[in-house]
Amino acid sequence: MGRIDFNEVQFPVGQGGFHMGWLRYHGSPLDIDPFVGTPPFAWAYDCGSDQTSALNAQIQTIAGARINMLFLSHLDNDHVSGVDKLLLAASEVEEVVLPYLGDTEWALHLASGASSGTLSGTFADLVADPAGWFGARGVRRITYVESDGEEDEGGVAPDPVEPSGEGGAGSDREPLTRKWSRTSAPVAPAAVAPSVAEIIRVPKGAVAPIASSGGNLNWVLSPYAFRPSAAKLAAFDAELAKRFSPGLSAKDYADAARTITGRKDLRACYDLVWKTHNLHSMALYAGPVVPPGDKLRCTAWQGNFLRRVIQPGWLSTGDFDLSVKKRREKFLRYYDCYAGMVGQLMLPHHGSDHSFDASVLGKFPDLVFAIAAVGTNGHGHPGPCVQAAVAAATGPSFVRVDEYEKSLYQIQGRVEG
């Protein structure tokens, strides 16, 4: 039976988010540094913050690490402001995964940045040429995850994958692999130079099971992306057509964003159609495929020991707006197959009262920690209603991870498959 050790960390970066996790074969040498060097498998979720110094300090702790997959929940500044530094600090980031973005969606993120005053030249460069921007920083592949929407009929579920009995029977330094459960044609032609990343698009329901030469391990990375409503996107697109020429590309909008007039027009489009918002967001489940039966071996710390009996599954939510009923129902239906293995839930939108519904807590029967990634902010995060709901719920405890080192939250343990 395959056995793997895992470790996951929510770094104290303040108002934003930076999460990392890694896997290694059970019993491999303990002197393998989980971040620096070449652990068998490592992933990250978001890298951004409004507290730049705290974020930079945490990025430096993993300098030299190899990261197999970097998941970006969405492109708001407080979730991606450190991505450039992370890519340069890491020895390698093989694949970047984010929700699918067409020309209108890229323009929407440019307009959001123009409205909030966070739009930078670096972000405009990224929008203008994602394959070149990421490729120049060593990324081999960009993977877009097809997004779900409130107006979409029916429901989608993550692809079922089964662990193989000998999945963990590899050498202690043999790299672990992942392969998407569904494939799709490339979004763009094959890269013409090593400095240009390949771009692919995977359908809704695609998951990335982790495997060794012996087969699948009992661990999966399962993203679920959600997009703004079709009506809002259409209204925004119509407003863009009024102020810019119809049919422009993302690069055209990025070029416009480099001018004062272009930023003004983008901001006007955004403010007229959007104002308050939650744009795209992509959640991520990292954990077992089937119940591991050994949660006694999973331990959590925040400065000191917190809890020994805990499920290993970790569900990150980015800025998912779970206050919207249709969106919440689709999210919970999608992750229902993993619900009993979720021990950690990242509260959506930094614990915002406006993105939360207390019923969510009851959908994860073994939930132990509800975590808010926050820092000094003017938005009231985490909200008092969210904290009261967690306090009133049976089972979970509220955990705040902010910009102070002592708030770093970590879980580690062993999983069998």
Side-chain angles (χ1 to χ4, degrees), residues 1-6 26 218-219 288 290-299 308-312 341 412-417:
M1 179 165 297
R3 294 180 178 179
I4 50 171
D5 293 335
F6 70 91
H26 179 64
N218 189 17
W219 199 269
V290 297
D294 63 348
K295 64 179 179 176
L296 287 174
R297 298 181 182 274
C298 304
T299 310
R308 193 177 305 280
V309 181
I310 187 169
Q311 289 284 6
M341 295 173 285
Q412 69 179 42
R414 187 186 84 187
V415 166
E416 296 184 358

Side-chain angles (χ1 to χ4, degrees), residues 237-255:
D237 200 34
E239 195 62 29
L240 285 174
K242 291 179 183 178
R243 293 180 178 268
F244 301 91
S245 300
L248 294 185
S249 68
K251 183 181 185 304
D252 294 328
Y253 292 120
D255 291 342

Side-chain angles (χ1 to χ4, degrees), residues 110-312:
L110 287 166
S112 174
S115 180
S116 65
T118 60
L119 179 58
S120 67
T122 298
F123 186 70
D125 292 342
L126 165 60
V127 175
D129 181 16
W133 193 92
F134 280 112
R137 289 155 176 80
V139 176
R140 300 179 190 176
R141 173 184 288 182
I142 302 167
T143 298
Y144 289 125
V145 176
E146 188 70 52
S147 301
D148 207 359
E150 293 166 24
E151 67 276 2
D152 290 348
E153 294 295 329
V156 63
D159 287 340
V161 293
E162 292 295 330
S164 305
E166 298 301 321
S171 161
D172 57 23
R173 294 185 184 273
E174 175 191 339
L176 298 174
T177 61
R178 81 287 186 190
K179 182 178 181 181
W180 289 99
S181 60
R182 300 189 190 187
T183 58
S184 179
V187 170
V192 295
S195 61
V196 178
E198 175 190 17
I199 304 179
I200 68 167
R201 183 173 174 178
V202 296
K204 293 182 287 186
V207 303
I210 310 304
S212 73
S213 58
N216 287 340
L217 301 167
N218 189 17
W219 199 269
V220 69
L221 298 171
S222 179
Y224 176 58
F226 212 89
R227 66 174 181 271
S229 71
K232 279 207 167 188
L233 284 174
F236 178 71
D237 200 34
E239 195 62 29
L240 285 174
K242 291 179 183 178
R243 293 180 178 268
F244 301 91
S245 300
L248 294 185
S249 68
K251 183 181 185 304
D252 294 328
Y253 292 120
D255 291 342
R258 302 180 198 279
T259 68
I260 294 175
T261 300
R263 289 193 298 274
K264 181 179 178 181
D265 286 340
L266 284 167
R267 183 169 63 248
C269 293
Y270 181 85
D271 289 343
L272 182 63
V273 176
W274 230 269
K275 294 187 178 179
T276 60
H277 73 284
N278 273 286
L279 302 180
H280 302 77
S281 199
M282 182 173 68
L284 178 70
Y285 170 80
V289 180
V290 297
D294 63 348
K295 64 179 179 176
L296 287 174
R297 298 181 182 274
C298 304
T299 310
W301 290 268
Q302 190 178 43
N304 297 306
F305 166 80
L306 285 182
R307 186 80 173 263
R308 193 177 305 280
V309 181
I310 187 169
Q311 289 284 6

Side-chain angles (χ1 to χ4, degrees), residues 308-397:
R308 193 177 305 280
V309 181
I310 187 169
Q311 289 284 6
W314 188 305
L315 184 52
S316 298
T317 57
D319 278 3
F320 234 97
D321 187 354
L322 297 181
S323 69
V324 179
K325 183 179 180 181
K326 286 184 178 180
R327 189 172 300 197
R328 181 172 68 252
E329 289 176 343
K330 282 176 171 272
F331 171 88
L332 292 172
R333 186 161 56 246
Y334 189 84
Y335 285 117
D336 182 65
C337 60
Y338 309 122
M341 295 173 285
V342 173
Q344 289 73 217
L345 172 68
M346 295 301 300
L347 294 165
H349 204 183
H350 317 286
S352 169
D353 284 343
H354 302 295
S355 301
F356 180 73
D357 188 278
S359 66
V360 171
L361 298 173
K363 300 300 183 180
F364 303 100
D366 230 347
L367 182 65
V368 176
F369 295 112
I371 307 167
V374 296
T376 302
N377 68 91
H379 308 293
H381 301 158
C385 295
V386 169
Q387 295 180 70
V390 175
T394 301
S397 299

